[in-house]
Amino acid sequence: MFTINRVNSLNELEMLVYDYILRHPKELPGMKVKDVAEAVNVSSSTVMRFCKKMDCSGFSEFKYQYQHYLTQDVVGEQKHDELEYLLEFFSSMSQNGNQESMLAVMDRFIACGDKILYGNAGLPGQLVQYASYLLNAAGMATRYFTDDSFRLRNLMDTGDSGVILYFSMQQDEELALNKLCKAKALGYRILVVSNYENVQVHKIADDILTYHVPVRDGVAGGSSSQLPALYYVEALARRYGELHVR
């Protein structure tokens, strides 16, 4: 139902509708267009455009098709769809333009002094711990924190040379956003690695590395594959090695 071409045709607001529907399959049957619009903070016409891009004549047909989709035996199909998204991501990263843009972002990160890796508790926290280990092993000095341990006193008076790499894996990030805003006010650059489009944390970021893999139930409590995020971390470690071998 959610083919790559259809999802890629969505704009930023329609992508918010898509993410909401994936996260609330049980609530959707009892909802009206305006209910979804209010929940996502978009217009009803945005919801209707989303339905049409999913090849449905309206919201009622979309709900029917979506429920049919959910009740089918789609385990194998979901795995195939997820693999297609991952292959599309890695294929796009092999293109020269995307590689150059990614390396430019990483060079700006490497040039900074105090390097902090930050993520929310849970899976993001485990990812920042692994990322810090990998980057430190490559020779890049980093520190890592989760929401539970990150305090403003952890920040150094580095002027404009500090940077925070934040792993954005959920849309409700008010606590993290508050801390990142304060860090930015202290002169820290913000680099966001994100599986979402048009979320609040993007508005304060100096650089963003994005990917899109659909959220799947049963994966870390309703998460998505983090292979693209791991790719960015490993590419950052390789880039640091390349710059310091010369």
Side-chain angles (χ1 to χ4, degrees):
M1 180 176 187
F2 300 120
T3 64
I4 290 178
N5 288 337
R6 289 177 183 174
V7 173
N8 284 344
S9 71
L10 302 177
N11 62 32
E12 292 182 351
L13 295 179
E14 293 158 357
M15 186 65 74
L16 293 177
V17 176
Y18 172 67
D19 284 336
Y20 179 84
I21 287 171
L22 290 182
R23 291 176 177 276
H24 300 84
K26 295 181 180 179
E27 295 89 336
L28 190 65
M31 299 181 77
K32 298 179 180 178
V33 172
K34 68 175 183 178
D35 297 327
V36 176
E38 291 175 357
V40 185
N41 196 27
V42 299
S43 66
S44 296
S45 60
T46 297
V47 178
M48 294 303 295
R49 285 197 302 272
F50 166 81
C51 294
K52 290 186 180 300
K53 288 185 178 182
M54 294 299 111
D55 199 27
C56 295
S57 60
F59 188 61
S60 296
E61 182 183 352
F62 173 79
K63 289 198 295 183
Y64 173 81
Q65 294 291 349
Y66 186 48
Q67 289 305 306
H68 178 67
Y69 168 77
L70 292 177
T71 56
Q72 288 180 324
D73 182 14
V74 296
V75 174
E77 181 180 340
Q78 286 179 336
K79 290 181 179 178
H80 179 65
D81 287 347
E82 182 177 64
L83 180 60
E84 285 186 343
Y85 280 98
L86 291 171
L87 290 175
E88 182 180 39
F89 168 78
F90 289 115
S91 176
S92 69
M93 294 312 301
S94 68
Q95 299 174 10
N96 289 335
N98 290 334
Q99 274 289 306
E100 291 172 358
S101 297
M102 179 189 73
L103 293 177
V105 168
M106 293 180 174
D107 288 349
R108 288 191 286 272
F109 179 88
I110 292 170
C112 293
D114 184 31
K115 299 178 179 66
I116 292 177
L117 309 183
Y118 174 38
N120 296 316
L123 181 60
Q126 295 297 316
L127 181 56
V128 297
Q129 184 175 356
Y130 168 76
S132 182
Y133 170 81
L134 184 66
L135 296 176
N136 288 341
M140 185 192 307
T142 65
R143 300 183 291 152
Y144 73 89
F145 299 95
T146 64
D147 274 340
D148 296 333
S149 61
F150 189 34
R151 303 289 185 271
L152 288 180
R153 63 175 178 269
N154 298 131
L155 303 178
M156 297 180 178
D157 185 11
T158 59
D160 294 328
S161 65
V163 63
I164 296 177
L165 170 52
Y166 176 67
F167 292 89
S168 173
M169 298 185 190
Q170 60 188 50
Q171 290 180 303
D172 185 13
E173 301 178 307
E174 184 175 351
L175 178 59
L177 180 62
N178 182 265
K179 292 181 178 180
L180 291 172
C181 285
K182 291 179 179 179
K184 192 173 180 68
L186 292 175
Y188 276 72
R189 290 180 59 84
I190 308 297
L191 166 58
V192 174
V193 173
S194 176
N195 188 30
Y196 293 99
E197 298 287 346
N198 196 35
V199 290
Q200 288 295 319
V201 71
H202 288 190
K203 297 179 180 180
I204 66 166
D206 296 285
D207 288 305
I208 305 171
L209 295 174
T210 61
Y211 58 96
H212 178 67
V213 181
V215 173
R216 288 189 55 194
D217 292 335
V219 180
S223 184
S224 60
S225 171
Q226 298 307 316
L227 284 177
L230 292 174
Y231 169 80
Y232 283 134
V233 170
E234 293 177 357
L236 180 57
R238 287 193 302 271
R239 182 59 174 174
Y240 181 85
E242 292 171 359
L243 294 176
H244 287 77
V245 166
R246 296 173 183 174

